[in-house]
Amino acid sequence: MFVAFFDTAGALIAVASQAGLMKDNKIPNAGRALLADAGSAVAGAVLGTSTTASFVESSAGIAVGGRTGFTSVIIAACFGVAMLFSPILSVITPEVTAPALIIVGALMATEISKINWSNLAVIIPSFVTIIMMPLTFSVATGIALGFILYPLMMLGMGKLREVHPIMYVLGFLFVGYFIYV
């Protein structure tokens, strides 16, 4: 649950921020987006596929102007056509697809400018979160480490009251998650 939720939350925040949909650091109708993602995960499980989820690759569609969801409909149609060519496309190696992933990563990196780089309690968890995502191949792991480090940094700096109690609970739960896994 942790991995699926934070993969989705990370992708949702990145994509909504890039699209300019964030209002006062909140995503309007985030519940509907999370419900749609959860529904697709359940449908995928019922149909016997691997877990379906939203991905930050959606930022590529936003970068070219997609805002309404029609971009997703076009992409779904392209995937449908691509299924016909699946045996031929299986010979394409990861080295060929890497440039597209580099572009998506570069688009995601534009959000780094919004981090408060003058606050040490923010810099260290942010850096660890950013660097651990590619090193662990998991957005959720990077976010989890950020959720652990931020309350610890604030606690160490004597700013215990400036952190919402939910952050401490999540940090504790993520420590448990890493011990269990």
Side-chain angles (χ1 to χ4, degrees):
M1 182 189 91
F2 277 136
V3 173
F5 176 75
F6 282 100
D7 272 342
T8 298
L12 184 60
I13 290 168
V15 170
S17 181
Q18 183 184 10
L21 300 175
M22 300 280 280
K23 308 283 189 237
D24 299 322
N25 287 330
K26 294 182 182 175
I27 302 170
N29 300 317
R32 290 174 55 194
L34 292 171
L35 182 62
D37 189 80
S40 69
V42 169
V46 168
L47 295 172
T49 67
S50 59
T51 306
T52 57
S54 56
F55 289 99
V56 294
E57 283 81 353
S58 303
S59 64
I62 289 170
V64 295
R67 297 287 187 277
T68 64
F70 187 64
T71 306
S72 299
V73 173
I74 298 300
I75 296 299
C78 290
F79 270 112
V81 171
M83 285 187 346
L84 301 172
F85 299 100
S86 179
I88 297 169
L89 296 175
S90 66
V91 299
I92 297 176
T93 62
E95 291 78 13
V96 174
T97 59
L101 294 175
I102 291 169
I103 292 169
V104 169
L107 292 171
M108 289 172 50
T110 60
E111 298 303 312
I112 294 172
S113 66
K114 296 177 181 165
I115 295 173
N116 179 4
W117 293 104
S118 63
N119 184 348
L120 190 61
V122 173
I123 293 171
I124 293 174
S126 297
F127 176 74
V128 169
T129 298
I130 292 165
I131 198 69
M132 291 309 290
M133 285 180 190
L135 292 178
T136 63
F137 300 100
S138 170
V139 171
T141 300
I143 291 173
L145 290 169
F147 269 88
I148 293 168
L149 285 176
Y150 179 70
L152 287 175
M153 292 295 298
M154 294 297 278
L155 185 66
M157 296 178 79
K159 299 180 179 181
L160 174 74
R161 302 243 184 248
E162 293 181 31
V163 178
H164 196 282
I166 290 175
M167 289 294 291
Y168 291 112
V169 171
L170 287 172
F172 179 75
L173 289 173
F174 278 123
V175 167
Y177 169 76
F178 284 124
I179 290 171
Y180 178 72
V181 173

